[in-house]
Amino acid sequence: QVQLVESGGGLVQAGGSLRLSCAASGRAFSTYGIGWFRQAPGKEREFVSYISVSGSNTYYGDSVKGRFAISRDNAKNTVYLQMNSLKPDDTAVYYCASRSRPWVGVSGPDGYGYWGQGTQVTVSS
């Protein structure tokens, strides 16, 4: 079955770091890449990062550039999101998703067909 499972969320102080993991089935992992999105209470879902199947292409949302880094280990069917210099505004539920509709840009949630259940990240001031 196609499944994506996030882990690594938690509570961290501003300026700290967390590393999120997204474990995916082979099918979900090998479509058109993996993206990370986040959603805070009262806000719309926001694009965070994307990595292509090979890992050669990556993209980041403007709000996280220079602070977050995405990577993948295909042997483990896992994508990572290293989050550094965390801010309270980074507080959200973080979702990984498998891209299945390449005619939608990488930052568009509608381009992703499979989603994990999310992991909570809370950054205290």
Side-chain angles (χ1 to χ4, degrees):
Q1 293 85 347
V2 176
Q3 186 175 4
L4 300 98
V5 179
E6 303 94 335
S7 63
L11 175 65
V12 65
Q13 289 185 307
S17 299
L18 283 174
R19 189 179 76 161
L20 306 184
S21 298
C22 174
S25 70
R27 179 184 173 185
F29 207 60
S30 62
T31 52
Y32 294 93
I34 298 291
W36 284 97
F37 292 79
R38 66 188 184 185
Q39 189 162 25
K43 297 182 179 180
E44 65 183 48
R45 188 163 297 186
E46 178 187 20
F47 171 72
V48 176
S49 188
Y50 165 84
I51 188 166
S52 62
V53 173
S54 68
S56 61
N57 293 314
T58 60
Y59 296 91
Y60 298 92
D62 290 340
S63 64
V64 306
K65 287 180 179 177
R67 300 189 297 120
F68 291 9
I70 191 169
S71 61
R72 68 189 300 160
D73 185 339
N74 287 340
K76 297 181 178 180
N77 287 344
T78 301
V79 170
Y80 304 97
L81 183 69
Q82 179 66 46
M83 306 186 296
N84 300 320
S85 302
L86 284 163
K87 306 174 181 179
D89 284 348
D90 295 319
T91 296
V93 176
Y94 283 70
Y95 301 90
C96 68
S98 180
R99 189 174 180 228
S100 60
R101 306 179 187 96
W103 53 91
V104 181
V106 298
S107 64
D110 290 346
Y112 296 78
Y114 303 96
W115 294 78
Q117 63 187 28
T119 185
Q120 176 71 49
V121 172
T122 302
V123 184
S124 63
S125 60

